[in-house]
Amino acid sequence: MFRVLFFDSGLGGTSVFSAVRELNPNCSYYYLFDNECFPYGNKDEDFIIKRTDEILEESVKRFSVSLIVVACNTASTIALPKLRDRIKIPIVGVVPAIKPAAVKSKSKIIGLVATPGTIRRAYTNDLIEKFAKDCKVLKIGTTDLVRLCERKMAGKPVTLTEVADVFGPWLMLKPDERPDSIVLGCTHFPLVKDEIGALFPKAVLVDSGEAIGRRVRSLISLNQALSYEEINDGNHAFFTGDLVNHFGYENAFKRLGFKDLTKFSLK
């Protein structure tokens, strides 16, 4: 059996987890989020590289991991080369879905909403230059929306007005100047997909979940991920630091099919 480890700074990676599990139902899943250093979107690059390397190397030592999904756009666009050099199992990253958004756009006005770090990163600009050269790309960099997603996942209310505040620059535009294809460039953002859809009912919302699910399935089918006979203990979630609303998060993970939520400490 295969064990897939998901890693994110928070709960956003659960949106990718759901898509991956749907396409790969026979795997065992661990989910580890770095609550202690949440969010990553406002951290510098050297810190993110060092932090993700420390946590994932320790995770590989402790767990029988077949492959890793770095379910965080910020960490993926910064740390993947270093991680792949040091960790010798398959690592799948998540990057903004610029290409499919550009293909789906009829008006050739697309929107990218992501963390500030992802917005300004050269990797993101390269994707735009390569796949959306014929499009006008509107950008919003936000950590506020990340926090709203975490709050919603923990069972607390999030209002449409709060989400609308994030998208104020686009909502102020005339209808024909707004994006008709919106890239959810952080794995947290599908958690408020309904709210974003209500604000932009004519726009197609694009994320990377299904593509990551197909990539995991491909690695497994091509025997590029290790299988472990002893893996049969179900799905488990882990967090770093101190979790203030442990009960809310525990319930959220139980709804997703995880048995428990346990603290993960670096040695």
Side-chain angles (χ1 to χ4, degrees):
M1 191 171 184
F2 299 93
R3 174 176 290 148
V4 180
L5 172 67
F6 280 81
F7 174 73
D8 191 5
S9 64
L11 303 188
T14 59
S15 67
V16 180
F17 159 73
S18 296
V20 171
R21 179 180 57 180
E22 186 172 344
L23 291 174
N24 303 276
N26 297 321
C27 293
S28 173
Y29 293 96
Y30 276 21
Y31 188 99
L32 169 58
F33 63 105
D34 190 14
N35 176 73
E36 185 174 8
C37 295
F38 171 85
Y40 278 4
N42 57 9
K43 303 292 190 301
D44 66 59
E45 295 192 6
D46 288 342
F47 173 85
I48 292 172
I49 291 171
K50 184 175 184 294
R51 181 70 176 178
T52 54
D53 181 60
E54 287 177 345
I55 291 177
L56 291 179
E57 285 207 60
E58 182 62 30
S59 299
V60 170
K61 290 177 185 176
R62 293 190 202 181
F63 309 131
S64 298
V65 177
S66 305
L67 63 91
I68 297 170
V69 176
V70 179
C72 172
N73 290 82
T74 300
S76 292
T77 56
I78 296 171
L80 279 181
K82 174 78 175 292
L83 292 172
R84 285 171 173 156
D85 281 344
R86 295 175 65 87
I87 299 174
K88 302 307 178 184
I89 61 173
I91 302 177
V92 179
V94 180
V95 297
I98 300 293
K99 182 178 180 180
V103 170
K104 292 174 185 290
S105 177
K106 295 178 180 178
S107 68
K108 294 306 172 184
I109 302 174
I110 68 175
L112 170 62
V113 57
T115 64
T118 298
I119 288 290
R120 65 174 177 263
R121 199 140 289 123
Y123 187 97
T124 303
N125 291 326
D126 289 345
L127 288 175
I128 293 171
E129 178 67 19
K130 186 174 182 179
F131 297 117
K133 201 169 185 178
D134 61 339
C135 296
K136 181 178 182 180
V137 182
L138 306 178
K139 303 173 185 177
I140 291 177
T142 174
T143 56
D144 290 338
L145 192 60
V146 176
R147 297 185 188 280
L148 290 176
C149 292
E150 289 277 316
R151 206 168 80 197
K152 182 176 181 181
M153 188 69 181
K156 295 181 179 179
V158 170
T159 67
L160 187 60
T161 300
E162 290 175 306
V163 178
D165 286 343
V166 173
F167 290 93
W170 295 356
L171 293 170
M172 291 169 56
L173 298 171
K174 296 177 182 178
D176 62 349
E177 295 176 340
R178 297 176 184 178
D180 69 344
S181 183
I182 297 175
V183 181
L184 305 182
C186 171
T187 54
H188 278 80
F189 297 164
L191 300 175
V192 289
K193 202 169 187 175
D194 290 345
E195 289 84 352
I196 298 172
L199 296 172
F200 301 95
K202 295 183 178 180
V204 177
L205 307 184
V206 186
D207 62 71
S208 303
E210 186 178 342
I212 299 304
R214 292 195 300 268
R215 179 59 177 156
V216 170
R217 185 171 59 186
S218 172
L219 288 169
I220 290 173
S221 64
L222 293 173
N223 294 318
Q224 293 185 24
L226 294 173
S227 178
Y228 297 91
E229 291 183 3
E230 70 273 17
I231 293 178
N232 58 6
D233 63 341
N235 304 331
H236 301 273
F238 304 86
F239 64 94
T240 63
D242 297 317
L243 202 58
V244 175
N245 186 17
H246 189 284
F247 181 74
Y249 286 109
E250 189 172 51
N251 282 343
F253 277 103
K254 283 183 178 178
R255 290 194 297 270
L256 289 168
F258 288 86
K259 289 186 173 182
D260 48 30
L261 178 60
T262 307
K263 184 169 181 174
F264 178 96
S265 298
L266 287 168
K267 293 180 179 178

